[in-house]
């Protein structure tokens, strides 16, 4: 089969790779119906992944949906022929951490992306725990929405939950990538009344409004914080979603929130550090991490299946998988929010 | 009148000071019935308050209860003759932050301790918002319990709330000072099922057990974390209370908690810094700050008035106010958990 391999920063190639095989009795092999490029793939692509830069060929991609082709002997609920979606981390869905809703801390966690989901086929470990099947094989038109549930929608959703968004909340969203935009959608679904999207890009602002943003703030830093304070009677928002991963974004999020409010952070941190004294006197609650997407998958698939949300709108570039390299380039240059890849 | 004044690290004196006066129409003057020495006073006393060391005479003390002697023209609910308790921060109890339950971020906040509560009398700003009156003037025997509500009980309570303690929770408490011990009591009242007190001092362990601790861990660092993990099936506690303020204590608290659990931190941070990457992958929720004691005061006074809790047991040394210097010494040398001072 063929798939995307990163050889060095900036050098992603579509090439022949070994077919994935069942290597544990709890594995499944899926034929990938759609995959995509993640904002976090760009850290590798740009070669700015502190201490973890690519130093050899690495299969890429960790967002996927597709048809089950084969399952291992111990897989009981997932069956060949089903259309399934999974998260970037495999999880058993039974350990105490999974039971608590934190599947990304599963005691048997495994990185699905190690196999590289930007490919024609993929091995998914712990298939029964990791994969969720749709009621039927979906129309092609629904693929972008369902694929979004594999990572970016669940990540935006977790950001909103971790920030404490609920009915009537005022919310600020820092970051206008796919996760930030779907953070807006998630906050809306969770009942937020006012959602301030912080974005300087017109097309992203439009999508933010479509997803439920009530206000747009284009300023950053001190001016951005001042704008958010102005919009909230000088108090700050109840909740801020940090969807970038830089120290600037985290600081911005923290400063926008009222005392007692929360920051949900889902951007993989690069150079982020929180000063104890500042955090103490801000009284802001902080919660984040690799989103336990699996926990939210059944509910998110249901929302999509009922056509109540269209998270797939974050894909503003569709390419054949063979042109994956162009997907990376377009996102790196911010010509595209997110590239959808069809094998 | 007379009161405690810190002249330099280690040099606290009981001396003549000006009588407090109504300086704003929202002030009250109270005759102090009881005061005490706080763990946070020791930072000043030891001269290790980063960048904020005492460089001249400073009136000390911020925990108080007493009889209202005089009120300003605009004070309407607090009346002379009432027995009242207030927090270390004055608050108007009406601004959006107060309404949200975060009185320590009141838009008109003022530090009551500036007047020095280890004294015979004290000016309390924003009296209507700050002070809570008891149903009647209490017996002398109840003074320690009520005084504890002024700071340490409310602080321990907030630590438990901020950490997310609820019915059935497993909890670890880092710090066996008065706040930590009352964090144990608070966790118990909030329904925690298992409470692990981390303490190396036998008398404090006894009090922790009396307040509701089910387990004692004497180890610190890696060994302490390993013990807590052992006691919780390898997973970690749902909630940890950080009641010290050092980086070691914060790290300990963070490492004891399961993914998705929370740390409530109320120790004034000294050298505390949180690494973004570690926090991200731990998935631990962090919330703390100067405890909004005023928010909890009515409920805490009610618990005490009904004799359902005895937080005053943390006072294991009673001194006449004139011997306040001995109170500091005893706490500094850890001969006493907390010194109760009677003018």
């Amino acid at each position: 089969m063929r798939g995307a391999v990163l050889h060095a920063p900036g050098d992603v190639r579509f090439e022949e790779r070994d077919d994935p095989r069942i290597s544990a009795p709890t594995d499944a092999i899926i034929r990938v119906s759609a995959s995509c490029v993640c904002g976090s793939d760009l850290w590798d692509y740009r070669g700015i992944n502190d201490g973890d830069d690519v130093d050899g060929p690495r299969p890429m991609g960790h967002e996927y949906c597709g048809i089950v082709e084969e399952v291992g002997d111990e897989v009981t609920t997932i069956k060949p022929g089903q259309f399934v979606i999974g998260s970037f981390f495999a999880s058993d869905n039974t350990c105490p951490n999974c039971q608590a809703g934190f599947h990304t801390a599963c005691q048997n966690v495994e990185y699905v992306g190690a196999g590289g989901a930007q490919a024609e086929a993929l091995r998914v470990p712990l298939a029964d725990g990791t994969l969720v099947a749709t009621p039927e094989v979906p129309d092609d038109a629904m693929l972008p929405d369902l694929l979004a549930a594999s990572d970016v929608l669940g990540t935006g959703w977790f950001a909103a939950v971790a920030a404490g968004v609920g009915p009537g909340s005022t919310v600020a969203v820092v970051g206008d990538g796919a996760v930030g935009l779907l953070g807006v959608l998630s906050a809306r679904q969770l009942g937020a009344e006012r959602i301030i999207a912080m974005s300087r890009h017109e097309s992203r602002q439009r999508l933010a409004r479509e997803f439920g943003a009530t206000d747009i703030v284009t300023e950053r830093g001190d001016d951005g914080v001042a704008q958010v304070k102005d919009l909230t009677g000088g108090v700050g928002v109840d909740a801020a979603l940090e969807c970038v991963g830089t120290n600037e974004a985290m600081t911005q999020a923290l400063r926008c929130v009222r005392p007692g409010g929360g920051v949900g952070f889902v951007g993989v941190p690069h150079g982020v550090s929180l000063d104890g004294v500042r955090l103490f006197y801000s009284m802001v609650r902080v919660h984040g991490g690799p989103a336990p997407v699996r926990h939210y998958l059944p509910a998110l698939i249901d929302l999509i299946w009922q056509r109540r949300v269209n998270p797939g709108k974050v894909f503003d570039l569709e390419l054949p998988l063979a042109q994956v390299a162009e997907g990376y380039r377009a996102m790196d240059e911010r010509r595209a929010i997110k590239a959808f890849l069809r094998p």
Side-chain angles (χ1 to χ4, degrees), chain A residues 7 20 57 110-111 215 243 274 282 307 334:
Chain A
H7 286 261
E110 228 176 288
Y111 182 50
D215 300 84
C243 306
L274 302 177
S282 74
R307 299 177 197 279
R334 287 182 78 88

Side-chain angles (χ1 to χ4, degrees), chain A residues 102-126:
Chain A
F102 289 85
H103 292 68
T104 26
C106 172
Q107 292 178 337
N108 292 303
V109 74
E110 228 176 288
Y111 182 50
V112 181
Q118 291 157 5
E120 291 168 332
L122 178 70
R123 179 181 80 88
V124 180
L126 302 170

Side-chain angles (χ1 to χ4, degrees), chain A residues 27 32 35 59 63 76 84 93 96 111 203-204 218 280 295 298 300 327:
Chain A
D27 286 351
V32 176
S35 180
E63 295 160 281
T76 58
V84 292
N93 200 30
Y111 182 50
S203 61
R204 294 169 188 232
T218 55
F280 185 81
H295 179 61
L300 298 180

Side-chain angles (χ1 to χ4, degrees), chain A residues 10-342:
Chain A
D11 179 14
V12 65
R13 302 180 205 165
F14 184 64
E15 58 189 29
E16 198 58 39
R17 293 179 43 214
D18 289 341
D19 284 336
R21 290 198 191 163
I22 299 285
S23 63
T26 47
D27 286 351
I29 303 298
I30 68 168
R31 178 71 28 196
V32 176
S33 302
S35 180
C36 52
V37 180
C38 181
S40 69
D41 291 333
L42 293 183
W43 293 107
D44 291 320
Y45 182 76
R46 291 169 176 162
I48 47 176
N49 235 347
D50 316 351
D52 186 33
D53 286 326
V54 173
D55 54 0
R58 181 186 293 183
M60 294 295 289
H62 54 262
E63 295 160 281
Y64 57 96
C65 58
I67 303 279
V68 178
E69 220 167 51
E70 191 189 349
V71 297
D73 291 343
E74 291 176 18
V75 175
T76 58
T77 59
I78 293 296
K79 317 240 177 259
Q82 282 181 327
F83 183 90
V84 292
I85 306 160
S87 150
F88 45 95
F89 277 0
S91 51
D92 61 22
N93 200 30
T94 56
C95 80
N97 291 337
C98 285
Q99 290 298 302
F102 289 85
H103 292 68
T104 26
C106 172
Q107 292 178 337
N108 292 303
V109 74
E110 228 176 288
Y111 182 50
V112 181
Q118 291 157 5
E120 291 168 332
L122 178 70
R123 179 181 80 88
V124 180
L126 302 170
D128 279 337
T130 305
L131 297 169
V132 178
T134 53
E136 303 163 37
V137 174
D139 289 344
D140 242 33
M142 204 184 258
L143 284 188
D145 293 325
L146 291 169
L147 177 62
S150 171
D151 180 350
V152 280
L153 174 58
T155 296
W157 195 275
F158 175 60
V161 170
V165 175
S169 294
T170 56
V171 179
V173 179
V174 181
D176 61 2
V179 171
L181 292 166
L182 292 174
V184 170
L185 180 152
S186 301
R188 188 88 194 87
Q189 288 293 318
L190 289 163
E193 210 169 86
R194 187 158 199 182
I195 303 171
I196 304 167
M198 306 190 83
S199 169
R200 301 200 276 195
H201 301 81
E202 227 174 277
S203 61
R204 294 169 188 232
Q205 292 170 8
R206 262 199 309 276
L207 195 47
R209 284 205 186 269
E210 205 174 317
F211 283 159
T214 53
D215 300 84
I216 304 286
V217 165
T218 55
E219 290 84 352
R220 292 190 187 176
D222 288 347
D223 292 343
V225 172
Q227 279 272 343
V228 171
K229 289 280 171 80
D230 270 0
L231 289 169
T232 53
V235 175
V237 292
D238 300 318
L241 281 52
E242 194 287 302
C243 306
V244 182
T246 61
N247 206 40
E248 292 67 31
M250 178 63 104
T251 304
Q252 179 114 331
L254 285 166
R255 292 179 59 203
C256 286
V257 175
R258 67 165 175 79
V263 167
F265 72 111
V266 293
V268 182
H270 287 72
V272 173
S273 168
L274 302 177
D275 176 66
V277 172
R278 264 196 228 165
L279 191 62
F280 185 81
Y281 287 106
S282 74
M283 306 192 76
V284 172
R285 196 179 58 246
V286 175
H287 193 197
V293 175
R294 172 62 184 82
H295 179 61
Y296 304 112
L297 261 184
L300 298 180
I301 290 174
D302 196 50
L303 275 178
I304 293 166
W305 207 258
Q306 294 179 41
R307 299 177 197 279
R308 288 174 51 198
V309 294
N310 283 113
K313 287 188 176 167
V314 294
F315 296 109
D316 54 352
L317 175 66
E318 179 171 336
L319 295 167
L321 178 59
Q323 290 174 36
V324 57
E326 167 57 14
Y328 277 83
R329 271 195 302 274
M331 284 177 63
D332 181 40
E333 295 162 11
R334 287 182 78 88
R335 283 185 280 118
I337 298 173
K338 197 166 174 72
F340 181 84
L341 304 168
R342 210 182 275 267

